[in-house]
């Protein structure tokens, strides 16, 4: 294959890769719609808010921790092979998730899904970079991002349909046919490729990163449960996590084959793009967490209706992601990204003004505007990251960008989920004052817990409904403002450090064909 013209079947290959990624993206968006049902003690698993956070974060933390290693293994042993194995693991773990008997089993099965996802994601972008020539790579990544937008679009409505007609486990079972079809297409269409000079593995770095991140996220989530940061149960794991991550950075700077090359951040184009991407995902994943409960509990929409309401957000990404590269080329990365980040910040801040009487058309407009702005951030940022590294290191670049994205998303769910939990507990406490102390604590953890207690109390419990809605909306307002402030940091980051114009593709691109 000539690296200057690309693979003759590259667009067909791109279609297969986008379809293969469908299960990974679909699963996360479906899960958001299913959270209320999984939290239900009768038709679900009775998961608490912290258990729901772990069901999301067990996947993302394992995913993020193994992305780089699997990217390197794919570069070494074959990206097609890694993609195929990842799909098989993801399918088996989806089966285990579907038939989980309690929240702990679901959390563990989701972690296993993270292993499969970590093998899939970097392989798709690495293969795209390998089969497309430099001149078409930006467009291909835009199509790839549009495919992700399609999965985001159909995820919520698919999840709603499944929840209303089947049991909650069907939201994971839907992955299996996608996985089977993907494996057949990968085996017959996708070419094998390797890095002729692959990096070494770094098991110490992998272990340190996972321990550090899990400890920090545990501390953050525990702080939300207890509504305090002064407890030893919060401080000890958080401090341990920070120390371990400090050791991780020290180790990565010390060795010549790091699992996450922190020295890459000396490249301004790379660091500004990856920082912007991390901040966007932090705010977005945390926001999606509270919007699920707002739509289904406070506004009273069914799962399928809540899924349909998310379509404008996803449709905007589907429409604008393929066009984002043109916008980036015309106005420059700095201007387009700064404006887009400002719009995202405004959208997140606007959630602080939503309440039980907000017109649904206004919510839909906000979703669409936020989706359009994000569509003009992600593809150019991904392109900038991938083009900052040589073509044969595509798996490394993909893994680094996805690692930051997943870690930021996990921290977003943990931090913003804990802000919501702490605020809600403080707001609902007066309404729960007449209940026994042990019931007060459990009922105050989340709006789902309060509504569960209200149902057991009959007519007396109806007095808790209005205070619970008010407490949740107030907590959502605080959480939305925190997410907007964090997004505003992204605006400052991009305006200060993002280069004004995209650099031309480096001449240092490998002239050696990567297909062996």
């Amino acid at each position: 294959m000539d690296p200057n013209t690309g693979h003759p079947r590259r667009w067909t290959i791109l279609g297969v890769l986008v379809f293969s990624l469908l299960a990974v993206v679909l699963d996360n968006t479906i899960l958001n719609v299913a959270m209320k049902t999984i939290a239900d003690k009768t038709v679900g698993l009775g998961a608490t808010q912290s258990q729901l956070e772990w069901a999301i974060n067990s996947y993302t933390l394992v995913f993020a921790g193994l992305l780089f290693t699997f990217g390197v293994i794919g570069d070494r042993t074959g990206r097609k092979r890694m993609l195929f194995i990842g799909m098989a693991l993801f399918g088996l773990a989806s089966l285990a998730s579907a038939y989980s008997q309690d929240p702990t089993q679901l959390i563990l099965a989701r972690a296993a899904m993270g292993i499969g996802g970590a093998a899939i994601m970097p392989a798709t972008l690495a293969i795209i970079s390998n089969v497309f020539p430099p001149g078409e790579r930006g467009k291909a990544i835009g199509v790839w991002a549009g495919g992700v937008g399609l999965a985001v679009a159909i995820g919520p409505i698919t999840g709603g349909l499944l929840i209303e007609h089947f049991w909650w486990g069907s939201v994971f079972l839907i992955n299996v046919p996608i996985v089977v079809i993907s494996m057949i297409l990968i085996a017959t269409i996708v070419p094998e490729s390797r890095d002729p000079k692959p990096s070494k593995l770094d098991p110490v770095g992998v272990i340190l990163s996972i321990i550090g991140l899990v400890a920090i996220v545990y501390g953050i989530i525990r702080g939300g449960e207890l509504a305090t940061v002064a407890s030893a149960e919060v401080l000890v794991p958080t401090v341990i996590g920070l120390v371990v991550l400090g050791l991780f950075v020290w180790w990565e700077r010390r060795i010549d084959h790091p699992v996450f090359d922190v020295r890459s951040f000396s490249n301004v184009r790379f660091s500004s793009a990856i920082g912007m991407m991390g901040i966007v995902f932090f705010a977005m994943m945390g926001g999606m967490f509270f919007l699920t409960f707002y739509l289904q509990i406070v506004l009273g929409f069914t799962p399928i209706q809540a899924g349909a309401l998310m379509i404008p957000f996803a449709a905007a990404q589907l429409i604008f992601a393929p066009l984002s590269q043109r916008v980036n080329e015309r106005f420059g990365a700095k201007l387009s990204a700064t404006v887009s980040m400002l719009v995202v910040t405004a959208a997140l801040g606007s959630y602080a003004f939503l309440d039980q009487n907000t017109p649904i058309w206004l919510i839909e407009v906000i979703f669409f505007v936020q989706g359009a702005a994000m569509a003009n951030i992600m593809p150019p940022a991904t392109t900038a990251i991938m083009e900052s590294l040589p073509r044969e290191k595509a798996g490394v670049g993909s893994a680094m960008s996805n690692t930051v994205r997943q870690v930021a998303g996990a921290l977003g769910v943990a931090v913003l989920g804990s802000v919501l939990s702490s605020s809600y507990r403080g707001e609902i406490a007066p309404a729960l004052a007449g209940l026994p102390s042990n019931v007060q604590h459990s009922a105050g953890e989340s709006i789902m817990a309060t509504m569960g207690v209200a149902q057991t109390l009959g007519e007396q419990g109806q007095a808790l409904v209005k205070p619970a809605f008010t407490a949740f909306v107030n907590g959502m307002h605080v959480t939305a403002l925190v997410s907007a402030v964090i997004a505003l940091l992204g605006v400052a980051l991009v305006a200060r450090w993002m280069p004004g114009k995209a650099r031309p593709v480096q001449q240092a691109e490998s002239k050696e064909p990567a297909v062996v």
Side-chain angles (χ1 to χ4, degrees):
M1 182 185 75
D2 185 347
N4 295 316
T5 59
H7 195 284
R9 301 177 68 188
R10 56 191 178 277
W11 293 106
T12 303
I13 294 167
L14 177 62
V16 173
L17 296 177
V18 169
F19 184 79
S20 300
L21 198 61
L22 186 64
V24 178
V25 181
L26 191 69
D27 176 73
N28 282 326
T29 53
I30 281 181
L31 182 59
N32 283 326
V33 176
M35 283 194 297
K36 176 179 177 291
T37 305
I38 295 173
D40 193 288
K41 292 183 179 180
T42 304
V43 297
L45 297 177
T48 64
Q49 179 167 312
S50 62
Q51 288 171 329
L52 289 174
E53 290 178 45
W54 276 115
I56 296 172
N57 285 340
S58 64
Y59 173 87
T60 53
L61 290 175
V62 171
F63 189 110
L66 295 176
L67 267 174
F68 194 95
T69 296
F70 283 172
V72 172
I73 293 175
D75 287 343
R76 179 187 294 269
T77 63
R79 294 151 183 160
K80 172 181 178 177
R81 179 180 300 174
M82 181 57 65
L83 180 59
F84 191 87
I85 293 171
M87 293 302 301
L89 288 173
F90 193 86
L92 291 172
S94 295
L95 276 174
S97 296
Y99 292 101
S100 297
Q101 300 300 304
D102 57 54
T104 300
Q105 288 183 21
L106 177 61
I107 291 168
L108 293 174
R110 288 278 297 162
M113 289 176 68
I115 298 174
I120 295 167
M121 183 71 82
T124 58
L125 272 175
I127 293 169
I128 287 171
S129 293
N130 181 71
V131 301
F132 280 90
E136 293 181 345
R137 200 170 299 152
K139 182 179 179 181
I141 291 175
V143 173
W144 176 86
V148 172
L150 175 63
V152 172
I154 65 175
I157 193 73
T158 303
L161 284 168
L162 291 171
I163 289 293
E164 292 209 356
H165 292 91
F166 304 97
W167 97 112
W168 65 266
S170 61
V171 302
F172 299 109
L173 208 58
I174 190 66
N175 294 332
V176 177
I178 298 174
V179 165
V180 171
I181 295 171
S182 295
M183 291 174 69
I184 294 171
L185 294 174
I186 291 166
T188 56
I189 295 174
V190 176
E192 186 60 281
S193 64
R194 298 178 179 85
D195 182 352
K197 297 178 182 178
S199 303
K200 297 178 183 178
L201 298 178
D202 176 21
V204 174
V206 172
I207 293 170
L208 287 175
S209 66
I210 292 177
I211 292 174
L213 288 170
V214 169
I216 287 177
V217 169
Y218 176 84
I220 293 170
I221 292 177
R222 191 64 180 142
E225 288 182 300
L226 299 176
T228 179
V229 296
S231 169
E233 293 183 61
V234 178
L235 293 175
V236 171
T238 303
V239 171
I240 290 174
L242 290 171
V243 170
V244 172
L245 286 185
L247 288 173
F248 168 75
V249 173
W250 172 81
W251 175 258
E252 297 303 282
R253 290 177 62 87
R254 180 174 176 270
I255 62 173
D256 60 1
H257 53 282
V259 68
F260 189 87
D261 192 355
V262 294
R263 290 164 293 197
S264 296
F265 286 90
S266 61
N267 183 323
V268 175
R269 188 183 190 204
F270 176 89
S271 57
S272 57
I274 211 166
M276 174 179 65
M277 185 179 287
I279 288 172
V280 168
F281 264 77
F282 180 100
M284 184 193 75
M285 291 298 291
M288 293 291 284
F289 188 80
F290 67 70
L291 284 172
T292 297
F293 295 102
Y294 171 70
L295 292 174
Q296 293 190 40
I297 299 180
V298 176
L299 299 186
F301 289 107
T302 64
I304 189 170
Q305 289 171 333
L309 290 173
M310 297 304 296
I311 288 178
F313 174 83
Q317 294 195 52
L318 183 62
I319 293 167
F320 291 103
L323 305 175
S324 61
Q325 202 66 23
R326 297 182 193 173
V327 175
N328 191 51
E329 290 170 358
R330 180 172 180 178
F331 297 103
K334 181 189 287 286
L335 179 59
S336 59
T338 300
V339 172
S340 297
M341 283 297 297
L342 280 170
V343 174
V344 168
T345 302
L348 292 169
S350 70
Y351 294 139
F353 299 95
L354 303 184
D355 57 31
Q356 292 173 253
N357 302 310
T358 301
I360 195 62
W361 66 265
L362 181 59
I363 298 174
E364 296 292 83
V365 169
I366 295 171
F367 286 171
F368 185 85
V369 170
Q370 183 180 346
M374 287 188 60
N376 281 287
I377 292 174
M378 305 313 297
T382 303
T383 302
I385 291 166
M386 299 300 287
E387 290 182 352
S388 298
L389 297 171
R391 187 168 66 96
E392 66 271 14
K393 299 296 182 183
V396 174
S398 170
M400 289 186 75
S401 63
N402 280 291
T403 296
V404 169
R405 226 161 71 173
Q406 295 298 324
V407 168
L411 291 175
V413 171
V415 172
L416 297 180
S418 293
V419 170
L420 177 62
S421 180
S422 297
S423 180
Y424 180 80
R425 187 181 289 280
E427 290 274 348
I428 196 65
L432 301 176
L435 301 177
S437 58
N438 61 325
V439 176
Q440 281 185 42
H441 185 82
S442 60
E445 185 184 68
S446 67
I447 189 171
M448 277 297 298
T450 305
M451 299 303 287
V453 170
Q455 289 177 359
T456 64
L457 296 177
E459 291 185 9
Q460 181 186 356
Q462 291 303 306
L464 294 176
V465 174
K466 186 176 180 180
F469 284 3
T470 301
F472 180 85
V473 169
N474 290 340
M476 184 180 77
H477 290 170
V478 173
T479 308
L481 290 174
V482 171
S483 67
V485 169
I486 292 168
L488 198 59
L489 294 176
V491 175
L493 172 74
V494 173
R496 173 64 180 84
W497 283 293
M498 178 70 80
K501 293 182 180 180
R503 297 185 312 184
V505 177
Q506 298 296 308
Q507 297 299 317
E509 290 259 3
S510 172
K511 297 179 181 178
E512 192 174 353
V515 177
V516 177

